[in-house]
């Protein structure tokens, strides 16, 4: 495989993560893994009832962790369910828990030989994590992962709005300027 600079392995798009044709999309899941609102609800609706049935077999997932299922009716072949932290002001280990769910998702992608992975902005919706802070953690964690791992070969950050995408692009520019 041709080696690229880590920053070149990252894409930022605005759109609906449920429509992406990648090896896996990451779901902003809750600890029960049984669906919910926002991205979680959208992924469950698009994937169909088989996703919920498989999630029931998995049991719970701790905050900072991730589990993998099939993608069912999605274009993505797999769904990685990552449980991010609820923002509590920044003094309850939220940064490390958010980084942990990105690492856990990347590890599952590597273990399953998945080349293309797409993330939403984990924990920034109903869980209230500050968006700019979350973008920095997502990109730093991904770049650190790329420095030591060939898979996934590409990570897409799929943002719900163009405003969110701008935060990721700014963070990429800052990381590129820092010599990553």
């Amino acid at each position: 495989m041709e080696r690229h600079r880590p920053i070149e392995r990252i894409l930022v798009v605005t759109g609906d993560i449920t429509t992406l044709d990648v090896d896996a999309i990451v779901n902003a899941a809750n600890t029960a893994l049984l669906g919910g609102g926002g991205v979680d609800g959208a992924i469950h609706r698009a994937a169909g009832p088989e996703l919920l049935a498989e999630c029931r077999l998995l049991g719970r997932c701790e905050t900072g962790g991730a589990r993998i299922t099939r993608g069912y009716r999605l274009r993505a072949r797999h769904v990685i369910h990552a449980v991010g932290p609820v923002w509590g002001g920044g003094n309850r280990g939220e940064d490390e828990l958010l980084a942990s769910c990105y690492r856990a998702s990347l590890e599952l992608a590597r273990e399953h030989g998945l080349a293309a992975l797409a993330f939403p902005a984990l924990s920034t919706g109903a869980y209230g994590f500050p968006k700019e802070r979350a973008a920095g953690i997502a990109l730093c964690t991904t770049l650190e992962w790329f420095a030591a791992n060939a898979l996934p070969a590409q990570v897409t950050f799929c943002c719900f709005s163009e405003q969110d995408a701008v935060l990721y692009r700014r963070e990429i520019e800052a990381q590129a300027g820092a010599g990553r």
Side-chain angles (χ1 to χ4, degrees):
M1 178 172 95
E2 183 181 341
R3 298 291 285 185
H4 294 286
R5 289 183 27 223
I7 206 88
E8 295 170 354
R9 294 168 60 187
I10 295 175
L11 294 175
V12 177
V13 300
T14 303
D16 179 352
I17 197 167
T18 67
T19 66
L20 297 182
D21 187 7
V22 292
D23 293 321
I25 60 172
V26 177
N27 179 20
N30 56 51
T31 56
L33 301 180
L34 300 180
V39 171
D40 193 10
I43 289 172
H44 274 268
R45 284 188 299 277
E50 299 88 353
L51 180 61
L52 179 59
E54 186 174 351
C55 285
R56 282 196 169 109
L57 298 174
L58 293 177
R60 299 179 63 80
C61 181
E62 70 285 351
T63 300
R67 302 284 186 269
I68 191 168
T69 62
R70 290 182 40 212
Y72 298 99
R73 298 178 191 169
L74 296 166
R75 293 178 75 189
R77 284 149 299 290
H78 299 277
V79 177
I80 295 175
H81 307 268
V83 181
V86 174
W87 180 253
N91 297 317
R92 299 180 184 161
E94 295 99 318
D95 288 359
E96 179 50 40
L97 287 168
L98 185 59
S100 177
C101 65
Y102 279 97
R103 280 190 300 272
S105 298
L106 291 160
E107 177 62 28
L108 283 170
R110 186 189 64 74
E111 287 175 3
H112 290 268
L114 307 179
L117 180 64
F119 284 101
L122 296 172
S123 283
T124 62
Y127 284 11
F129 209 104
K131 290 181 179 189
E132 191 166 348
R133 186 173 183 150
I137 292 167
L139 286 158
C140 284
T141 304
T142 301
L143 289 169
E144 287 170 3
W145 179 267
F146 283 165
N149 296 279
L151 288 177
Q154 182 174 35
V155 166
T156 300
F157 289 99
C158 185
C159 300
F160 185 72
S161 73
E162 185 57 31
Q163 289 175 328
D164 292 347
V166 166
L167 294 175
Y168 282 83
R169 290 185 189 111
R170 277 191 203 140
E171 187 61 35
I172 287 171
E173 288 173 16
Q175 293 294 329
R180 290 231 177 199

